[in-house]
Amino acid sequence: MIINWKRPKNVKRIVEAFHDQSETDRKIVLVDCAPHKRYTPDRETLRLCDEVFRWRHDLSPASRFVAGFMHNDCKYTYMHDDDAIPGTRTLELYKTWASKLKEEYSVLGVQGRNFSIKNRAYVKGRIDLIDDLTKVDTTIRFHWTRTQDFGAILDFKWKIINEYPRDTEVLREDDLLLNVAIQQRTGKPTYLVKPPDSSYSSREQDVKSKDAHSDRDFHYRNRDRFVDIALNLGWARP
């Protein structure tokens, strides 16, 4: 599942890369949140997608969850940000690890971060992939999970809305919402998996772009507040 906001050229390359995956049992879903038609992907890109969802309003990065709720025909959902080109064996990597772990995980990814429980805050520091499998508190940018667990996201979202109505801006931090909600529901950890080589990586090539969500002033403030709220709502590290 790929989300587009203002990077149609990136999205074109990403869709092409997923079209050429070694794992052919897949469905390419594009969530198009373009604020203006000039940001909409071209016809060829759309033709390569199995499904396209278009929202007329900016629902934040969490808009891809709406599409995820509607896919009960797929065992897994993989969400890919629009600032990296995946290797051709990316989906193969995640599917292999899902089998190895015997489904004993919440979310899988190749980049992630931890929380400071003591400071009730998000830790920005990079986590290096030294081992094949590394436990983390949250994945970032790329997320593989079981589609059946999407219901946990909606449940946790409404807990925040009902108990912290003045803090709903934290829901824009969709990666934290995804990981914390599913961890709390399943009691299973999130892992980073180490690609054997770049062809297995979600980020075979990073594509620098402006308008990054992480560059906005509110981003880290919201992430710290999200961690604080999650702890108040009973989240504990699996």
Side-chain angles (χ1 to χ4, degrees), residues 3-4 7-15 30 41 45 82:
I3 191 168
N4 174 62
R7 301 170 179 170
K9 292 182 179 179
N10 287 11
V11 169
K12 180 179 180 66
R13 296 177 62 192
I14 293 166
V15 169
L30 175 65
T45 303
D82 60 357

Side-chain angles (χ1 to χ4, degrees), residues 150-204:
F150 264 68
I153 302 168
L154 198 57
D155 288 346
F156 202 81
K157 170 188 172 180
W158 279 105
K159 284 183 180 179
I160 292 177
I161 291 172
N162 289 330
E163 299 192 34
Y164 296 90
R166 296 183 179 180
D167 291 292
T168 55
E169 185 69 16
V170 302
L171 294 172
R172 298 185 69 86
E173 307 307 319
D174 63 316
D175 50 355
L176 305 192
L177 175 61
L178 169 75
N179 281 269
V180 166
I182 296 178
Q183 287 171 25
Q184 190 172 60
R185 166 76 67 86
T186 67
K188 299 173 182 179
T190 286
Y191 292 106
L192 301 186
V193 296
K194 185 178 180 180
D197 59 57
S198 62
S199 69
Y200 290 88
S201 180
S202 295
R203 49 180 303 211
E204 184 172 47

Side-chain angles (χ1 to χ4, degrees), residues 25-55:
D25 184 15
R26 50 96 184 102
K27 178 185 290 185
I28 301 174
V29 179
L30 175 65
V31 180
D32 184 17
C33 302
H36 189 278
K37 61 182 180 181
R38 70 176 179 272
Y39 297 118
T40 298
D42 61 28
R43 290 183 180 180
E44 178 62 20
T45 303
L46 299 178
R47 186 186 68 79
L48 292 176
C49 297
D50 295 289
E51 291 186 14
V52 178
F53 291 85
R54 284 201 175 98
W55 311 135

Side-chain angles (χ1 to χ4, degrees), residues 45-201:
T45 303
L46 299 178
R47 186 186 68 79
L48 292 176
C49 297
D50 295 289
E51 291 186 14
V52 178
F53 291 85
R54 284 201 175 98
W55 311 135
R56 294 186 177 183
H57 305 285
D58 181 10
L59 302 178
S60 83
S63 58
R64 54 190 164 190
F65 295 157
V66 181
F69 292 137
M70 302 173 71
H71 278 90
N72 53 12
D73 58 335
C74 298
K75 183 176 181 179
Y76 303 108
T77 297
Y78 171 67
M79 288 163 282
H80 190 93
D81 274 9
D82 60 357
D83 58 359
I85 312 303
T88 56
R89 305 184 76 172
T90 295
L91 298 181
E92 180 184 339
L93 173 74
Y94 290 116
K95 192 170 183 180
T96 298
W97 271 107
S99 177
K100 283 183 178 180
L101 290 167
K102 302 184 185 301
E103 306 298 334
E104 291 299 311
Y105 66 91
S106 286
V107 187
L108 302 178
V110 296
Q111 282 187 283
R113 299 289 186 268
N114 283 319
F115 305 152
S116 170
I117 306 300
K118 178 180 179 180
N119 297 324
R120 307 178 72 86
Y122 175 83
V123 180
K124 302 177 188 178
R126 173 181 171 179
I127 297 174
D128 293 321
L129 295 180
I130 299 173
D131 300 319
D132 289 342
L133 201 62
T134 303
K135 188 186 293 187
V136 294
D137 291 332
T138 184
T139 49
I140 60 172
R141 300 178 70 195
F142 319 108
H143 322 278
W144 170 284
T145 192
R146 291 172 296 272
T147 307
Q148 69 181 28
D149 291 333
F150 264 68
I153 302 168
L154 198 57
D155 288 346
F156 202 81
K157 170 188 172 180
W158 279 105
K159 284 183 180 179
I160 292 177
I161 291 172
N162 289 330
E163 299 192 34
Y164 296 90
R166 296 183 179 180
D167 291 292
T168 55
E169 185 69 16
V170 302
L171 294 172
R172 298 185 69 86
E173 307 307 319
D174 63 316
D175 50 355
L176 305 192
L177 175 61
L178 169 75
N179 281 269
V180 166
I182 296 178
Q183 287 171 25
Q184 190 172 60
R185 166 76 67 86
T186 67
K188 299 173 182 179
T190 286
Y191 292 106
L192 301 186
V193 296
K194 185 178 180 180
D197 59 57
S198 62
S199 69
Y200 290 88
S201 180

